[in-house]
């Protein structure tokens, strides 16, 4: 089993002394034994604060310490002359300090002091991996990089080499939590908390070496499937007792388990609604079983009517999460975290912010992102998502002067893009999304383009000009993808089921609540209070009015919030129709340019990397052409209006 | 293993004497032992002509014999007073005479003489059954009735009880040939002609008892897959020798094998084109291997570009079969039969007749129909196809006064609708399609409604009024299905992949050559010589002109041949758009009526039958509603024109 080292392949360090004890200090020692050495006159020491005196820069470090402390995960780096000290309160801080050193050492010059603390305490990757491959979804639901690295042949992998390599990659970017199985917990996976505990325990031990807590997705109906009970009613004492006992056995195997993730009453998964109970009843019952062990329930808010009638204009999927959970705000136990997808639909290339992220007041919540490129090119197309995530994290939930999403959230969760392909992510360049996700979860203010530079420098041995060109090819690829796919925030013009490639009407008459309502006169979803579904009213002012008014609504979300005629003029001065044509021609041309520019530098990369990226970009060009032409033709057939610039739109 | 007796459950006969020898006479004797007896004063004798003197009506039979003889399969039935004689030249004729007797005996009154000979010598059912279930298509490609009755667990079934029951059903309706495996011959099925010959031989023996020859679908690339050869070039002597040897071994196992069926250079199956050879090269090579054993090659004409670019208006899938095969007419060996689907597209609920059926002059061909309801409701929806097949069979290939399709064809082939569901066909009433297919293949002039009466009387114990009501519910269900699905012959508005349920744009931008070209002004495919693909020019006059002219083109094929504005007035006096609305409302209402009428008689049937049919009709009503509303809304959104009658069309 050979696999890519990703961004941990080439770093070098000088000799390092360690003044710390404990398991994670041991991990760092083991890391250091495998790290290539560079001759250097700087003397590096890693220490926990309790042993700061053993280092030469104790005073400088003391002076740098924040008044409110470093916390478990923070660290200080001080360099003065030939001395460099990384100090942390605890093992995890030291581990992150070590990876900081590994990342930046070769770039460090002069004296400096850095204090690093993560913005958000829980930074999680969720694996939609199935213990037994699903007949439709396969080994990894929405996975585009081969099979699962955790499960094979219906059980946990026995050789944990690759799991350890993964844990190391994650720790190096600050990830401290991993959900190992799919939120859609089918029969086999339901038994992870029983039959497979010994194996789960072994896997948890590997992640523990890197400061990562594992979580398990559980089946709300597990008491029915695994015991003689004929109910999973959360208010039934027998159910609560069953879960308490089950949790006890899980913690016997994994004493530091993070907790459970639950997808309940969502897309046909079981939940408390079957018993007339609400989400807080369900979540709190599990939370109370977990509380003695300091475990947490991550309860997903991806709840909506997935058997909607397209004829029914009064139901709006975008409203669903808010409508379900805001009435319950304040009813959840402290160890419940509501897990909220960033948008009210489902990980589209562009959508509005979920109003829950601003409006939940009494309940801890997690922001959920998607690193796996379900709707954003499936690691066939290059789509660097850093800029999109940064927009999301920095979104001002008050509409001006208020807290950002990153400031309000208590955790950041994202669906992993990793599988057992030799390069982990199918598209070699998709590794950058994994990297950027971890770094942004740690520091939501980080600049996505700088992160690309970091990632590229750590990943490839190349000169600065080549790196700059590669970064330039990648940097805007999310907006390029947006341009050649569904326009102006309308979303869901994808092939049903697979979600790759265009199908403008693919979800138009479906049961999934995903419509664009295009007709001969116009397009878009009226979500206004005045004439539509009223979704805009879920936002506070001034956001509500901003979205409600067709002239103040941001162009990129216009069709998410409004149904407008094709000749409606955008803030950018173009009609909606001409904007659709223009962006689709532009998006395709940008992919052409990406491919051309890549080919000019491709030979500077190793043949495997070169061929992988070339083939994927060539495929992306085909895909962009399909998107361009199908979207343009679709709207031309509807509107009858030709392109103002006379470019080819097929009849 | 219990399964439905279909139309062979209730018949009774008086005592019958048999004056014949041979295997099929033995079959008849065995049949008789299992047939329920009725006390009756008529004395029945079955005899071969050589033993005619042993019967009391020899002179009457002699007198009835056609001057050109009865042939292998024909028979005479004569009744005079208390004597009834069924006479045939050979065993198969006698078997068909026996089943004729079984079918009609209880209806026979008075003296009569009947001479029956089949219109077409080969009457075949093709099974798209896979030895190993296909990951996408399953055990039976386009099967809607469970698994295969021939294969299970990667091998031929060992218990042939059900195969024997099937053979008996087929013989009772005059079928004399069965292709046991799918034309898409994948790796496992390629080995049917090697590893599985002993099992195939056992199955052939069962069919032989009922006068049915089996055929095998073969993989044109078998020499590559099964030997050291690196080519399947039909002009390579080594390839021809390999096939000769392979055929020899097959005939050792099945001395009366009918021959091979080949799907070559079609939908990504291998064929002679890879070697720069044409279809006649490929077919003749196999034909020469089969000739010593009197075997036949059925070579499918379902050849078209399945990687078409939707932007390319110059390519027309409808043209493909003619364009490929007419230039080769006259080049095929005598034991090659070109297998031609009835329409130029693919088994749509309505399409034009394949011009090959009239224009092949020097080559034997088979008409191919589809009993399995791939595009016609998948045995969820009731769609009695008898009327459609009769239209096809009686189609005048000259456009007036010339031979019909039935008169020109040398064989009739149809894809079976049978699987291992207890009732064979999923929908109990879909048994009628199997029945009608066999009867029409024998007698293409048979009246489809009379066949329904025959089938219903043989299948259900019920009074005449109930039978009349059931037949009335079923009789027009094909036109009902046509009304609520794709309009005016345009076809292919189905869900991609599954082919069930509406998706108006589902195939509009696909690679399959299946488009409707609807825009805000009009809809339909211009296949005229004047302005379109020129497909109409493949027909002889006056058909060519009839289809070419938008005013003489039959309404039901208008959008198959023409792209017209929505306000184009049909021969029926309605605009195209209003016709679409009207037929969709009408089709739905007809299903409502079918369900209501069925419920009024449902309790007269056994509970299993009652519940099966009720549930399917209820599902059909849902499906018809989706079709009605999606098609109407789609065209309303495009055209902006409301329904003239003010019925509800959703925005």
């Amino acid at each position: 089993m050979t696999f890519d080292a990703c961004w941990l392949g080439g770093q070098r360090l000088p000799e390092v002394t360690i003044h710390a004890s404990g398991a994670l200090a041991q991990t760092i020692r083991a890391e250091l034994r495998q790290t290539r050495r560079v001759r250097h006159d700087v003397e590096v020491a890693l220490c926990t604060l309790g042993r700061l005196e053993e280092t030469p820069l104790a005073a400088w470090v003391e002076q740098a310490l924040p008044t409110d402390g470093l916390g478990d995960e923070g660290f200080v780096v001080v360099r003065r002359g030939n001395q460099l000290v990384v100090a942390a309160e605890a093992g995890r801080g030291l581990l992150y300090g070590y990876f900081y050193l590994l990342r930046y050492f070769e770039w460090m010059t002069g004296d400096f002091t850095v204090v690093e603390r993560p913005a958000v305490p829980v930074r999680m990757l969720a694996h939609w991996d199935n213990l037994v491959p699903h007949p439709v979804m396969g080994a990894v639901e929405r996975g585009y990089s081969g099979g699962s690295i955790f499960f094979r042949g219906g059980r946990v992998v026995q050789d944990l080499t690759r799991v350890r390599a993964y844990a190391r990659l994650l720790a190096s970017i600050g990830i401290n939590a991993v959900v190992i199985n799919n939120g859609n917990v089918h029969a086999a996976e339901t038994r992870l908390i029983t039959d497979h505990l010994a194996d789960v325990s072994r896997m948890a031990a590997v992640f523990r070496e890197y400061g990562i807590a594992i979580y398990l997705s559980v089946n709300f109906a597990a008491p029915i499937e695994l015991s003689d009970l004929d109910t999973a009613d959360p208010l039934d004492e027998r159910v609560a007792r069953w879960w308490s006992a089950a949790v006890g056995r899980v913690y016997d195997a994994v004493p530091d388990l993070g907790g459970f993730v639950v997808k309940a009453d969502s897309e046909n998964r079981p939940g408390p609604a079957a018993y007339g109970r609400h989400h807080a009843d369900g979540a709190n019952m599990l939370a109370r079983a977990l509380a003695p062990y300091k475990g947490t329930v991550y309860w997903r808010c991806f709840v909506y009517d997935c058997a909607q009638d397209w004829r029914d204009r009064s139901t709006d999927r975008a409203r669903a999460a808010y409508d379900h959970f805001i009435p319950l705000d304040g009813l959840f136990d402290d160890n419940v975290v509501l897990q909220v997808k960033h948008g009210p639909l489902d990980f589209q290339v562009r959508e509005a912010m979920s109003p829950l992220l601003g409006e939940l007041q009494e309940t801890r919540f997690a922001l959920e992102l998607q690193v796996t490129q379900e709707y954003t090119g499936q690691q066939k197309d290059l789509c660097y998502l850093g800029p999109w995530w940064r927009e999301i994290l920095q979104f001002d939930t008050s509409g001006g002067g208020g807290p950002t999403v990153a400031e309000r959230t208590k955790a950041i969760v994202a669906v992993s893009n990793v599988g057992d392909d030799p390069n982990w992510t199918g598209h070699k360049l998709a590794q950058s999304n994994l990297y950027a996700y971890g770094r942004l979860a740690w520091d939501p203010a980080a600049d996505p383009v700088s992160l690309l530079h970091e990632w590229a420098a750590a990943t490839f041995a190349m000169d600065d000009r080549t790196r700059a060109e590669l970064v330039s090819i990648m940097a805007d690829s999310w907006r390029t993808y947006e341009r050649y796919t569904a326009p102006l925030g309308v979303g869901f013009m994808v092939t049903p089921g697979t979600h790759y490639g265009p199908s403008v009407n693919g979800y138009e008459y479906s049961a999934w609540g995903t419509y664009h309502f295009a007709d001969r006169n116009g397009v878009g979803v009226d979500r206004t209070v005045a004439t539509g579904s009223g979704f805009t009213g879920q936002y506070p002012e001034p956001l509500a009015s901003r979205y409600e008014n067709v002239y103040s609504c941001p162009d990129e979300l216009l069709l998410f919030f409004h149904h407008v005629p094709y000749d409606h003029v955008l803030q950018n001065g173009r009609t909606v129709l001409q904007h659709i044509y223009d962006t689709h021609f532009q998006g395709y041309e940008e992919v052409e340019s990406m491919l051309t520019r890549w080919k000019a530098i491709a030979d500077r990369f190793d043949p495997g990397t070169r061929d992988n990226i070339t083939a994927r970009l060539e495929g992306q060009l085909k895909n962009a052409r399909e998107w361009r032409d199908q979207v343009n033709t679709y709207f031309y057939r509807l509107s009858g209006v030709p392109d103002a610039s006379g470019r080819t739109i097929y009849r």
Side-chain angles (χ1 to χ4, degrees), chain A:
Chain A
M1 185 168 59
T2 56
F3 45 81
D4 203 299
C6 298
W7 53 85
L8 291 181
Q11 291 79 3
R12 298 183 302 172
L13 288 177
E15 290 300 326
V16 176
T17 58
I18 301 185
H19 310 272
S21 56
L24 294 187
Q26 286 303 106
T27 297
I28 297 169
R29 286 190 180 89
E31 280 285 320
L32 279 169
R33 281 193 293 273
Q34 295 173 36
T35 304
R36 290 192 296 162
R37 285 288 171 278
V38 61
R39 283 177 171 276
H40 205 288
D41 58 1
V42 79
E43 292 176 9
V44 179
L46 267 58
C47 70
T48 44
L49 293 183
R51 294 175 63 180
L52 191 55
E53 299 312 320
E54 299 173 25
T55 73
L57 299 178
W60 292 99
V61 170
E62 293 278 7
Q63 193 179 329
L65 289 177
T67 50
D68 55 348
L70 283 172
D72 273 2
E73 304 195 312
F75 58 88
V76 175
V77 187
V78 177
R79 176 165 172 186
R80 290 295 178 275
N82 281 353
Q83 300 295 334
L84 192 155
V85 171
V86 178
E89 274 187 27
R92 272 203 289 160
L94 205 61
L95 182 69
Y96 297 137
Y98 162 76
F99 279 117
Y100 181 95
L101 185 71
L102 193 68
R103 183 189 310 142
Y104 293 126
F105 181 76
E106 295 195 66
W107 297 15
M108 289 172 176
T109 53
D111 292 354
F112 65 89
T113 300
V114 166
V115 179
E116 281 272 345
R117 287 181 300 181
V120 176
V122 179
R123 302 170 304 281
M124 189 184 294
L125 275 165
H127 281 255
W128 289 355
D129 292 22
N130 297 316
L131 183 63
V132 172
H134 185 273
V136 176
M137 291 297 175
V140 182
E141 184 163 331
R142 307 305 176 186
Y144 311 106
S145 319
S148 170
I149 60 170
F150 297 151
F151 309 119
R152 193 172 309 129
R155 59 179 301 191
V156 175
V157 292
Q158 298 303 295
D159 176 355
L160 294 167
T161 308
R162 187 146 191 185
V163 174
R164 180 170 283 104
Y166 184 54
R168 183 172 174 254
L169 282 168
L170 297 194
S172 79
I173 52 173
I175 298 297
N176 63 7
V178 166
V179 191
I180 64 169
N181 66 306
N182 187 3
N184 290 320
V185 184
H186 299 290
E189 295 81 20
T190 301
R191 297 185 172 276
L192 274 174
I193 60 171
T194 53
D195 304 2
H196 301 273
L197 276 177
D199 282 337
V200 169
S201 171
R202 290 174 49 249
M203 183 144 66
V206 170
F207 279 111
R208 188 181 297 121
E209 292 175 30
Y210 286 91
I212 296 169
I214 71 161
Y215 291 68
L216 294 168
S217 293
V218 298
N219 178 352
F220 195 81
I224 298 172
E225 295 192 22
L226 301 181
S227 83
D228 293 338
L229 291 173
D230 58 359
T231 178
D233 181 352
L235 301 192
D236 187 313
E237 270 305 317
R238 298 168 302 163
V239 172
R241 277 200 303 274
W242 185 90
W243 275 111
S244 281
V247 166
R249 286 188 297 269
V250 172
Y251 276 85
D252 285 345
V254 186
D256 54 357
L257 184 87
F260 289 162
V261 177
V262 188
K263 177 177 181 177
D265 290 328
S266 164
E267 296 183 333
N268 307 313
R269 302 309 304 156
Y275 312 99
R277 314 303 183 191
H278 55 51
H279 288 278
D281 292 328
N284 291 343
M285 180 274 292
L286 290 171
R288 284 159 202 171
L290 288 162
Y293 311 96
K294 303 202 184 309
T296 304
V297 175
Y298 281 73
W299 189 270
R300 291 181 89 229
C301 294
F302 186 53
V303 177
Y304 67 100
D305 178 0
C306 67
Q308 184 177 337
D309 190 330
W310 59 269
R311 301 165 190 80
D312 164 22
R313 293 283 185 109
S314 67
T315 301
D316 179 4
R317 172 168 167 179
R319 293 187 58 112
Y322 182 103
D323 285 345
H324 276 103
F325 286 93
I326 286 294
L328 305 176
D329 193 16
L331 300 182
F332 292 93
D333 284 8
D334 286 347
N335 62 330
V336 174
V337 174
L338 292 182
Q339 185 165 320
V340 182
K341 285 190 179 184
H342 65 77
L345 290 181
D346 188 16
F347 298 140
Q348 301 301 291
V349 68
R350 174 76 73 175
E351 53 180 308
M353 202 61 47
S354 169
L356 277 182
L357 298 169
E359 297 310 294
L360 282 170
Q361 303 298 342
E362 312 290 333
T363 309
R364 293 207 298 164
F365 65 86
L367 170 70
E368 184 174 347
L369 304 171
Q370 196 179 42
V371 186
T372 193
Q373 293 171 237
E374 177 177 357
Y375 294 98
T376 52
Q378 306 199 349
Q379 287 127 256
K380 296 174 178 130
D381 293 19
L382 175 62
C383 182
Y384 173 58
L385 291 163
W388 182 210
W389 297 331
R390 190 166 187 282
E391 276 196 28
I392 293 164
L393 289 161
Q394 297 300 328
F395 182 80
D396 184 329
T397 57
S398 78
T404 64
V405 168
E407 286 163 350
R408 296 197 90 236
T409 194
K410 296 294 182 259
I412 301 182
V413 179
V415 188
S416 177
N417 65 346
V418 154
D420 70 0
D421 273 0
N423 75 0
W424 301 84
T425 53
H427 196 316
K428 169 80 179 175
L429 299 181
Q431 292 175 1
S432 64
N433 279 326
L434 185 61
Y435 185 88
Y437 166 68
R439 297 281 291 113
L440 281 164
W442 179 281
D443 177 11
D447 170 53
V449 177
S450 301
L451 294 179
L452 268 188
H453 275 283
E454 268 183 35
W455 166 79
T459 301
F460 300 112
M462 59 187 165
D463 61 273
D464 288 356
R465 279 177 55 195
T466 302
R467 189 180 69 243
E469 180 67 0
L470 178 67
V471 166
S472 169
I473 290 168
M474 299 174 68
D476 205 36
S477 54
W478 163 58
R479 286 195 181 79
T480 294
Y481 190 86
E482 181 186 21
R483 286 185 189 106
Y484 66 74
T485 58
L488 295 163
V490 78
F492 270 106
M493 289 181 171
V494 291
T495 305
T498 69
H499 300 170
Y500 184 79
S503 180
V504 177
N505 266 14
Y507 277 97
E508 189 57 14
Y509 299 89
S510 80
W512 298 96
T514 48
Y515 316 114
H516 55 64
F517 300 124
D519 64 17
R520 74 197 318 259
N521 302 310
V523 58
V525 188
D526 185 352
R527 294 192 160 109
T528 64
V529 170
T531 57
S533 72
F535 171 65
T536 58
Q538 292 185 347
Y539 293 94
E541 290 296 353
L543 285 174
S545 294
R546 189 179 301 160
Y547 294 141
E548 175 82 7
N549 185 318
V550 71
Y551 297 108
S552 59
C553 181
D555 281 355
E556 70 269 18
L557 291 173
L558 186 70
L559 302 184
F560 188 91
F561 284 112
H562 295 276
H563 185 90
V564 296
Y566 292 121
D567 60 1
H568 173 86
V569 177
L570 294 167
Q571 298 181 38
N572 67 25
R574 294 186 288 201
T575 65
V576 163
L577 189 72
Q578 192 57 44
H579 176 90
I580 292 173
Y581 293 159
D582 286 348
T583 49
H584 283 76
F585 285 115
Q586 182 186 346
Y588 176 79
E589 286 161 12
E590 286 170 0
V591 179
E592 274 188 320
S593 167
M594 285 157 64
L595 177 59
T596 304
R597 292 169 65 190
W598 164 255
K599 283 184 171 171
I601 60 171
D603 284 336
R604 301 177 205 169
F605 293 78
D606 70 274
T609 296
R610 179 193 66 202
D611 295 347
N612 171 270
I613 296 173
T614 302
R616 303 262 163 165
L617 284 171
E618 285 171 346
Q620 182 168 10
L621 189 64
K622 287 202 184 88
N623 188 40
R625 178 166 177 264
E626 275 310 310
W627 272 101
R628 178 195 68 185
D629 289 341
Q630 290 194 30
V631 169
N632 284 349
T633 294
Y634 181 89
F635 284 106
Y636 172 72
R637 287 186 183 178
L638 274 175
S639 69
V641 178
D643 173 42
S645 303
R647 291 163 292 195
T648 299
I649 296 179
Y650 297 87
R651 285 181 301 140

